[in-house]
């Protein structure tokens, strides 16, 4: 999959733990962990909105397209 | 219906199938002990309805349906018995698969691999039962036709045939298993629908 999640980078920049962010955006630790490791098929706009709001960033800071070639 | 009652209901159906198998074997045993196992009877109907008056009343004895019988065909009787037992085993297999399917659905697990496999197996069993029914019938009718000598005034036909003019036409009866074949088709379509449902479920479950 050429879409890479850089959530861990943004979390490190904002010095936010996984549990803390999960609590703030209202999803489970497990789901946030899956999102962080890129093991999901999709992200809801609602989740993306909450993450961007909490980490004060843009969707492009979290998701990145890297070509397979 | 709850899971427990569904299980009980299908268990009762399985017991009925077992009883039917037992009855078939006992009948065969009875025929062997009476020395009648070599006889094979098959339902048949005539186009010429013979009417015999009953006494002086306005009542008639109508002869249209009956059986044709051949003797010295123990192998055919045995083959039909085996076919019947195999058919009952297939029916038991269908009920067993239905049991698992109903229990899974009753527990809330609808779109999963086990249910899809169960539906496909039910479809295959229904197709097998239909093929078995057609094969046994074809074999029986062919054997009876081979055994009955040609007659001048009477012609015995297999189920699919044309009548002859100037003779009494007797057809051997058979209803093709159209409903089991339709059910098999519906089962395969349902299995595909379950497969799509599973795909949708997987997609929606992996979105956060």
């Amino acid at each position: 999959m050429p879409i890479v999640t850089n959530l861990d980078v943004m979390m490190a920049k904002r010095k936010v733990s996984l549990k803390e962010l999960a609590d703030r955006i209202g999803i489970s630790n497990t789901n946030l962990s899956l999102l962080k490791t890129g093991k999901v098929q999709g992200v809801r706009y609602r989740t993306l909105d909450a993450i961007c709001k909490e980490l004060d960033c843009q969707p492009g800071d979290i998701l990145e397209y890297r070509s397979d070639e | 219906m709850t899971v427990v009652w569904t299980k009980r209901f299908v268990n009762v159906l399985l017991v009925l199938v077992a009883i039917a198998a037992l009855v078939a074997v006992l009948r065969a045993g009875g025929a062997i002990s009476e020395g009648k196992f070599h006889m094979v009877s098959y339902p048949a109907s005539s186009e010429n309805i013979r009417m015999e008056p009953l006494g002086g009343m306005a009542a008639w004895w109508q002869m249209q349906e009956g059986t044709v019988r051949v003797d010295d065909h123990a192998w055919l009787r045995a083959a039909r018995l085996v076919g019947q037992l195999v058919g009952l085993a297939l029916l038991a297999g269908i009920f067993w698969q239905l049991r698992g399917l109903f229990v899974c659905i009753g527990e809330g697990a609808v779109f999963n691999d086990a249910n899809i496999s169960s539906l496909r197996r039910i479809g295959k069993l229904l197709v097998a039962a239909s093929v078995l029914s057609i094969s046994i019938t074809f074999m029986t009718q062919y054997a009876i036709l081979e055994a009955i000598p040609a007659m001048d005034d009477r012609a015995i036909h297999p189920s699919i045939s044309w009548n002859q003019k100037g003779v009494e036409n007797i057809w051997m009866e058979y209803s093709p298993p159209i409903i089991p074949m339709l059910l098999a088709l519906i089962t395969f379509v349902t299995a595909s629908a379950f497969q799509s449902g599973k795909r949708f479920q997987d997609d929606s479950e992996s979105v956060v």
Side-chain angles (χ1 to χ4, degrees):
Chain A
M1 187 90 156
I3 301 290
V4 178
T5 312
N6 291 323
L7 185 61
D8 49 347
V9 177
M10 281 312 295
M11 283 167 64
K13 278 184 185 170
R14 300 287 185 263
K15 295 186 175 64
V16 182
S17 72
L18 185 101
K19 188 181 178 310
E20 200 180 340
L21 184 62
D23 287 343
R24 280 195 219 163
I25 63 175
I27 67 169
S28 67
N29 290 358
T30 314
N31 277 347
L32 189 62
S33 175
L34 288 170
L35 176 60
K36 200 179 87 170
T37 50
K39 290 175 182 168
V40 291
Q41 295 293 321
V43 188
R44 290 193 183 89
Y45 279 171
R46 191 176 61 223
T47 311
L48 202 55
D49 174 56
I51 291 170
C52 290
K53 202 173 281 174
E54 287 301 324
L55 297 180
D56 188 25
C57 64
Q58 293 297 314
D61 296 329
I62 299 165
L63 302 172
E64 183 189 343
Y65 175 77
R66 276 186 213 161
S67 175
D68 285 335
E69 291 169 4
Chain B
M1 208 187 283
T2 61
V3 174
V4 175
W5 279 103
T6 307
K7 270 186 185 176
R8 283 178 187 167
F9 177 68
V10 181
N11 286 347
V12 168
L13 292 177
L14 286 167
V15 170
L16 287 177
V17 170
I19 290 170
L22 188 66
V23 167
V25 171
L26 287 175
R27 272 188 184 172
I32 290 169
S33 65
E34 290 172 9
K36 293 179 178 173
F37 193 73
H38 63 97
M39 298 175 186
V40 178
S41 295
Y42 195 88
S45 66
S46 167
E47 63 174 2
N48 301 325
I49 303 171
R50 278 194 243 161
M51 307 287 274
E52 287 179 8
L54 284 175
M57 299 177 290
W60 298 80
W61 177 256
Q62 182 177 307
M63 287 188 287
Q64 187 182 15
E65 291 177 357
T67 56
V68 284
R69 198 188 91 191
V70 289
D71 293 350
D72 300 327
H73 276 70
W75 67 270
L76 183 60
R77 182 89 180 248
R80 281 173 64 82
L81 176 66
V82 170
Q84 194 179 356
L85 293 176
V86 172
L88 286 168
L90 291 173
L91 193 62
I94 290 168
F95 287 149
W96 186 254
Q97 294 297 325
L98 271 180
R99 188 180 188 269
L101 187 68
F102 287 157
V103 168
C104 266
I105 291 173
E107 287 169 349
V110 181
F111 301 121
N112 59 30
D113 287 330
N115 289 351
I116 295 164
S117 301
S118 288
L119 281 166
R120 287 201 178 127
R121 272 188 223 117
I122 289 169
K124 285 175 189 169
L125 288 169
L126 283 165
V127 169
S130 304
V131 170
L132 179 74
S133 165
I134 293 167
S135 310
I136 294 285
T137 303
F138 182 79
M139 181 185 71
T140 307
Q141 292 193 359
Y142 184 76
I144 289 172
L145 283 173
E146 284 288 303
I148 293 176
M151 289 163 283
D152 293 336
D153 59 342
R154 197 167 285 171
I156 297 179
H157 303 276
S159 299
I160 302 170
S161 65
W162 290 265
N163 61 336
Q164 290 177 20
K165 284 184 178 174
V167 295
E168 183 187 4
N169 293 291
I170 296 170
W171 279 277
M172 283 185 273
E173 298 284 337
Y174 181 58
S175 300
I178 292 169
I179 291 176
M181 285 193 272
L182 276 176
L183 280 176
L185 193 67
I186 291 169
T187 310
F188 286 130
V189 170
T190 309
S192 299
F194 270 51
Q195 180 92 59
S196 299
K198 185 181 176 291
R199 221 173 286 135
F200 279 121
Q201 196 175 40
D202 288 348
D203 280 352
S204 68
E205 279 176 354
S206 57
V207 171
V208 294

